[in-house]
Amino acid sequence: MDNTLLVSLSHQLASYRSMDTIANNLANASTPAFKREEAQFSEYIETLPPSEGQTQSQTLAFVQDAGVTRDISQGQLERTNAPFDFAVNGKGYFAVQTPNGERYTRNGHFTLDAHGTLVTTDGNQVLGEGGPIAVTPDDGDIHVAEDGTVSGIHGQLGKLRLVGFDDEKKLVKEGASLYSTDQSPTPVTDGHIEQGSIEVSNVEPVVEISHMLQVMRAYQATSNLTQAQEDLMRETIDKLGSVPSA
């Protein structure tokens, strides 16, 4: 394949990856505690030997996928007044017990299951410092202090476990607002919990749409380059075909 077409293809694949990431951000603009992502790319340089009639080597610059970065900045805290909605103001993640092991989330939209255990909307148990937290009808109105202490009318029921990590960007997204990591979690001291609130997504739809338009323009420019190269090749073949044989 012609080198120009290969370079164009790498640009088009980069545009496709960027558009896919932007679309995912927009789709999760209303997902509590969702963190926007951005596709990253690097330049890959390849040096080719001189072609026939050339004296210098050729340098080709391709676009290389460098992965996705996550914006871990905190989203705004939105008041819901729901007793089992909790927002982390500052650093920290809630610990959650799943069938695949312990996972972490900042989505504090919790509820109680049929047994009165505090769980996520997917039914995973939310962990306190002593294990899952259970609430009974006799506990009355539930109050959660800034340090995560859960109390009912008869006293303390447990304390939400809030943990942090050395490098939050290394957390692996698993879906359902959950993250996994090989890092050891440590207790958080500079974050606190707000009951009756939810951290909203840090995605700004207007900004994402602006990025989408930029990607579309870049894709169109690359597509035009590809079309021009194909037209040139077609014209060359037509001219060669019209040359009378000796």
Side-chain angles (χ1 to χ4, degrees), residues 200-230:
V200 301
S201 168
N202 65 359
V203 173
E204 297 184 32
V206 174
V207 174
E208 296 302 320
I209 291 174
S210 176
H211 289 166
M212 181 180 290
L213 292 175
Q214 293 175 2
V215 172
M216 291 175 64
R217 293 191 188 101
Y219 181 88
Q220 187 59 51
T222 303
S223 180
N224 293 340
L225 176 63
T226 302
Q227 186 62 51
Q229 181 65 15
E230 290 177 348

Side-chain angles (χ1 to χ4, degrees), residues 74-85:
Q74 178 176 307
Q76 294 183 355
L77 303 188
E78 183 177 272
R79 193 70 184 168
T80 66
N81 293 319
F84 298 111
D85 278 352

